[in-house]
Amino acid sequence: MMLNPMSSPASLPRIHLLATGGTIAGAHTGGRSYAAATLTAEALVAAVPQLAGLARITTEQVAGIASQDMDEQVWRQLAARTQAALDEPAVTGAVITHGTDTMEETAYFLNLVLRTAKPVVLVGAMRPATAISADGPMNLYNAVAAAVHPAAAGRGVLVVANDEIHFAREIAKTNTTQLATFRSPNRGLAGLVNTGRVHWFGPAPRRHTAGSEFAAAPPGALPPVEIIHAHAGMGRTLIDAAVRAGAQGLVIAGVGNGNLAASALAAGREAVRAGVAVVRSSRTGGGVVERDIEVDDSAAGFIAAEELNPQKARVLLMLGLTRTRDPAALQALFTTY
Ligand code: DGL
């Protein structure tokens, strides 16, 4: 853990920065190729001397991975270290640097398990630190600016990218390479931040952080939940294989309003009878999957993901399965979080 080298006035708020890797810490390896998770947390802070005007920053390297390698073990370590920092009265909030590929899943997991009302802001970048016009430094500056803003507390876990502030529950990565990759298609942005100037919009949606019944990640491994991507001509093969492999939950990234082909539906009903929780989400990336529209969820014992995309639905289902197997109780979680 290191205090930032710049002489930040003692009157400034204290931000703990936890680094996990990602492109924000990436460096080119030759031509257009680059390696994520190359720079350290200290290097990221040192590259933005203007941070000294916003906060006193301590840093901690929790992991050094590209976020396609993010997993439950790192989630738990990150949650524990973030919680420990936030439990220090002198710490105003936390900023977490992270790859963009799975940032939305980590953010939502933390949104459900952190016992805090303090600001927690995740930040990444679409260009490596060695790129022309790298976006990481400004994203990091804006993330710290959002975290130290007096009105940031109580908004749940947030993500800052490309001058936007997203709620962890709402955000999704929608483009492979563009700076404007992140969208919040259903309920919109938490706010905007431009060169450190923050504009907040509405309050955080649904229950989160200190208001979550999952605050404090449950002990033991999370139950395995797989996502099955639906498509024209979908059969039952992958559903049956996931059940055989021991999945305790399935999230169907269904076509349209969470739909799936008849043979896949039959496999889903059999999975429910075998004790596997089946959630219908949508591959469309927006909107609400509701119960009993084209699919008779009540008869099948399925759960509708409501507003959550497949990767967010998986996070909530894993946590929910640590509490209950009852489809009705699980369904209630998707109208609560
Ligand atoms: N490998 C990707 C990741 O770490 C790079 C994408 C990024 O961080 O922007 O998520």
Side-chain angles (χ1 to χ4, degrees):
M1 192 178 295
M2 176 208 83
L3 275 167
N4 66 353
M6 281 68 75
S7 57
S8 299
S11 60
L12 286 178
R14 178 91 186 276
I15 291 294
H16 190 58
L17 185 144
L18 303 102
T20 68
T23 293
I24 192 169
H28 281 95
T29 56
R32 296 174 64 236
S33 301
Y34 76 89
T38 304
L39 277 67
T40 63
E42 289 83 355
L44 295 178
V45 170
V48 189
Q50 297 88 341
L51 287 170
L54 292 178
R56 292 173 294 138
I57 298 174
T58 51
T59 61
E60 182 176 353
Q61 195 77 37
V62 174
I65 59 174
S67 78
Q68 58 264 39
D69 290 321
M70 186 57 68
D71 61 16
E72 182 184 337
Q73 181 186 353
V74 180
W75 274 3
R76 286 180 177 276
Q77 176 67 0
L78 180 60
R81 295 304 304 148
T82 303
Q83 189 68 60
L86 296 172
D87 289 347
E88 290 184 43
V91 173
T92 298
V95 169
I96 298 168
T97 59
H98 193 292
T100 62
D101 286 359
T102 63
M103 182 148 63
E104 63 203 79
E105 296 167 70
T106 301
Y108 190 49
F109 174 74
L110 294 174
N111 198 51
L112 294 172
V113 303
L114 287 177
R115 298 182 312 280
T116 187
K118 292 183 178 179
V120 177
V121 182
L122 278 77
V123 61
M126 292 302 289
R127 295 173 180 159
T130 52
I132 300 168
S133 299
D135 54 326
M138 180 58 83
N139 283 350
L140 179 57
Y141 182 82
N142 282 336
V144 173
V148 300
H149 191 280
R155 296 179 187 268
V157 173
L158 301 168
V159 178
V160 165
N162 198 37
D163 292 356
E164 295 178 335
I165 309 171
H166 295 259
F167 293 114
R169 181 181 183 270
E170 303 304 311
I171 191 171
K173 184 172 183 179
T174 68
N175 187 279
T176 56
T177 57
Q178 289 190 334
L179 298 183
T181 185
F182 286 113
R183 295 276 189 270
S184 287
N186 283 338
R187 294 186 182 229
L189 294 173
L192 296 174
V193 50
N194 179 282
T195 323
R197 174 74 190 277
V198 178
H199 303 268
W200 298 109
F201 296 153
R206 298 287 176 89
R207 287 172 57 180
H208 57 78
T209 55
S212 166
E213 67 190 88
F214 302 107
L222 293 175
V225 173
E226 302 297 341
I227 299 175
I228 309 281
H229 196 98
H231 53 83
M234 178 181 188
R236 56 180 299 151
T237 304
L238 292 185
I239 291 174
D240 290 343
V243 173
R244 280 196 303 273
Q248 295 180 32
L250 295 177
V251 174
I252 308 297
V255 295
N257 196 357
N259 294 315
L260 52 165
S263 58
L265 272 175
R269 285 191 290 267
E270 288 174 29
V272 169
R273 288 197 291 272
V276 176
V278 175
V279 173
R280 291 190 308 109
S281 182
S282 173
R283 72 180 194 179
T284 59
V288 183
V289 174
E290 296 175 288
R291 290 183 63 80
D292 299 334
I293 302 298
E294 286 190 74
V295 175
D296 188 343
D297 295 297
S298 299
F302 293 162
I303 297 141
E306 294 276 326
E307 298 172 27
L308 296 184
N309 66 24
Q311 50 272 30
K312 299 276 180 66
R314 174 177 175 269
V315 173
L316 183 56
L317 182 57
M318 285 193 293
L319 288 170
L321 287 173
T322 67
R323 292 290 181 88
T324 179
R325 299 290 165 129
D326 174 43
L330 289 169
Q331 182 65 72
L333 295 177
F334 285 85
T335 50
T336 304
Y337 292 96

